[in-house]
Amino acid sequence: MNIAYLTCDGVLDSVFDSQVMGLIAELEKEKIKVDLYSARGPKRNFDPLLQEKISEVRSKLDGTFRQIWHLRYLGNWSTYFSRCSFSRNLDVSHKYRMVHCRGSYSGYVAVKSLGSSLPVLTDVRGVMVEEAGIRRGQVSIGNKIRNSGWRSRGLKSLERVAVEGAQAVTCVSNPLRGYLLRNYSIKPENVVVLPGCVDTSRFRPDEKSRDEVREKLKLIAKRVFLYVGSAKAWQIPEVIGKVFRYALEQDDRSHLLVLSQEPDVMRSFLEEEGIASEHMTIMQVAHEEIASYIRAADVGLLLREKSLVNEVACPTKFGEYVSSGVPVLASTGIGDTQAHIQEHRLGWLLDDFNDESQIAQILGEVLSAPEASEVERERLGSAGGGLFEWRSHLSKLLPLYEKGL
């Protein structure tokens, strides 16, 4: 079986390795040949980092790798270049069973380019209008985002074409599936939840690795809280500092480990919250090293404001935390995270991080709980693997490929 995989996020996207190459690797184990079509912008033609990444991707693929032109969204007319480029570069001699499109933008490009000549699967990652509003800074994530204006209407129509024009749809959470069924004309049997999975050969409990990192960072006697992510506003880094401060007030052994590509900005946020340097370690680590540092933690932090964007989300970090044997302190209202935590005993839930008494109470529960034993970390890792291992979800994806004919 041959599949064309289209992503307009590009090979330098932060989750490309885990979410694109991870899935392709599993499909290749099933004897499915995948040709990868990836977008690039005109400014990146001679970027040495991009060229290096492309060489790496080509060396790992059994199939071919091709690039298509891509412009920043300025209205549906601006997709014309991507559509023409994809049509021109698509190798029809490979007789693809289906075009698997990561994201609604890619789904739109494929549907409009191919018409009925090839079946399309659109992998919906979130709600386009609301996400675009956050990125553009129209309003804070906690407020109602304006959906008016030509750009919002264009994105909404793009999302509709991507979803309703596809023969099959996958999405990252059950709340997102419900949103799609309420807002678009699609058959429920054609919409399948496929969460953001992780490579459980890397993200797994490993006591030796855990001890080595804790010793290296001088964290042996500490209660380590972990934050992995950026300093972008929608990840509310100031709340990370606020919640950790309550932990530190209750137990001075508490230590915050931050893994971020913006270490200096994160440090500023945390210092503004009154966190002294001796109580935090902020690092910028390569993607291939991040699993060993996650294992060193005692509690992973996953805090988000209540909004539609987060209501339908599936943060990859949640799967990486629990698959590595780390329990999670998470906000309520993030995709399927609350249900997973409650059903599988994966950590603690914080409903309102503006309620100081609630923060103090939950942190008290976290710190009074016995530190996870090796057996408990293995249980958490096993539960995480069952929820977020690619192989456990292929049984839902492969029938969609078969139906595409």
Side-chain angles (χ1 to χ4, degrees):
M1 183 191 300
N2 294 337
I3 297 294
Y5 189 106
L6 172 63
T7 173
C8 288
D9 296 329
V11 299
L12 296 179
D13 184 61
S14 61
V15 296
F16 175 81
D17 287 325
S18 64
Q19 299 305 297
V20 177
M21 295 303 290
L23 173 58
I24 290 176
E26 291 300 325
L27 292 174
E28 289 178 343
K29 291 176 185 177
E30 298 294 320
K31 309 302 181 185
I32 296 173
K33 182 180 178 182
V34 181
D35 290 341
L36 177 59
Y37 296 82
S38 176
R40 71 157 184 237
K43 292 183 178 179
R44 307 217 69 150
N45 283 348
F46 305 105
D47 185 339
L49 184 62
L50 174 63
Q51 299 307 317
E52 181 182 344
K53 186 64 178 180
I54 288 173
S55 297
E56 175 192 324
V57 170
R58 283 189 168 130
S59 70
K60 292 180 178 180
L61 283 176
D62 289 343
T64 60
F65 173 84
R66 297 190 180 192
Q67 288 187 286
I68 67 169
W69 285 97
H70 175 63
L71 295 180
R72 183 180 297 275
Y73 183 81
L74 298 172
N76 289 357
W77 65 268
S78 63
T79 67
Y80 173 79
F81 301 97
S82 299
R83 285 150 42 198
C84 290
S85 183
F86 181 56
S87 298
R88 185 173 65 251
N89 283 281
L90 188 68
D91 192 341
V92 294
S93 69
H94 287 191
K95 298 180 179 178
Y96 297 119
R97 179 69 62 88
M98 180 170 272
V99 180
H100 184 135
C101 303
R102 175 179 168 80
S104 297
Y105 190 103
S106 298
Y108 177 88
V109 168
V111 169
K112 298 294 282 187
S113 302
L114 303 173
S116 59
S117 62
L118 265 179
V120 171
L121 180 151
T122 297
D123 177 20
V124 182
R125 313 300 301 180
V127 282
M128 291 195 75
V129 174
E130 288 76 6
E131 288 180 354
I134 292 167
R135 287 195 296 270
R136 290 162 58 209
Q138 289 178 332
V139 293
S140 69
I141 189 171
N143 297 329
K144 182 178 180 181
I145 296 175
R146 292 180 304 164
N147 291 335
S148 60
W150 64 268
R151 191 173 189 274
S152 294
R153 289 193 296 272
L155 285 171
K156 197 69 176 177
S157 69
L158 184 152
E159 188 174 74
R160 182 177 299 279
V161 169
V163 172
E164 295 183 350
Q167 281 65 44
V169 174
T170 59
C171 58
V172 296
S173 70
N174 283 290
L176 181 52
R177 182 176 186 272
Y179 169 87
L180 295 174
L181 292 174
R182 289 192 303 273
N183 286 275
Y184 300 116
S185 299
I186 44 177
K187 296 179 180 179
E189 61 268 26
N190 290 341
V191 186
V192 170
V193 175
L194 190 70
C197 294
V198 302
D199 181 357
T200 53
S201 67
R202 293 178 55 234
F203 295 94
R204 57 181 176 80
D206 184 327
E207 294 301 307
K208 181 181 178 183
S209 171
R210 170 183 165 85
D211 292 343
E212 287 175 350
V213 173
R214 288 175 71 93
E215 184 173 359
K216 172 185 171 182
L217 300 180
K218 298 180 172 56
L219 300 176
I220 293 295
K222 301 293 185 180
R223 197 71 180 268
V224 181
F225 289 76
L226 172 69
Y227 170 72
V228 180
S230 75
K232 298 293 188 294
W234 63 272
Q235 295 212 12
I236 50 174
E238 69 280 3
V239 173
I240 299 297
K242 175 182 178 180
V243 169
F244 176 71
R245 180 161 42 82
Y246 277 86
L248 194 57
E249 290 172 358
Q250 296 191 41
D251 187 341
D252 60 9
R253 295 181 307 138
S254 299
H255 193 89
L256 180 60
L257 174 60
V258 175
L259 307 179
S260 176
Q261 298 304 307
E262 302 168 281
D264 294 336
V265 182
M266 284 299 305
R267 189 179 306 279
S268 296
F269 273 115
L270 295 172
E271 288 175 348
E272 287 177 8
E273 289 296 325
I275 310 301
S277 58
E278 63 265 27
H279 297 302
M280 58 180 170
T281 300
I282 303 178
M283 304 180 67
Q284 183 175 357
V285 300
H287 176 76
E288 56 270 17
E289 298 176 358
I290 199 168
S292 60
Y293 287 93
I294 288 178
R295 293 188 198 105
D298 296 300
V299 181
L301 298 176
L302 183 64
L303 304 174
R304 299 283 191 274
E305 289 189 340
K306 287 181 170 59
S307 70
L308 180 59
V309 171
N310 290 321
E311 179 187 326
V312 303
C314 179
T316 305
K317 294 308 168 197
F318 180 64
E320 292 176 348
Y321 288 164
V322 295
S323 297
S324 300
V326 178
V328 179
L329 171 58
S331 307
T332 57
I334 306 176
D336 294 312
T337 300
Q338 179 173 343
H340 291 328
I341 288 176
Q342 292 173 327
E343 181 178 352
H344 300 281
R345 295 181 291 116
L346 302 179
W348 305 266
L349 292 164
L350 180 61
D351 185 57
D352 184 0
F353 43 71
N354 292 312
D355 184 338
E356 297 189 359
S357 63
Q358 185 182 137
I359 297 175
Q361 177 189 340
I362 297 299
L363 265 298
E365 293 177 12
V366 172
L367 292 167
S368 63
E371 295 184 25
S373 63
E374 180 178 351
V375 172
E376 176 62 6
R377 284 191 285 272
E378 288 292 338
R379 185 194 71 79
L380 289 163
S382 178
L387 292 168
F388 298 107
E389 185 178 32
W390 280 114
R391 183 155 295 277
S392 65
H393 292 280
L394 287 185
S395 60
K396 296 185 289 185
L397 178 61
L398 297 183
L400 296 180
Y401 289 166
E402 295 290 348
K403 286 171 64 176
L405 270 179

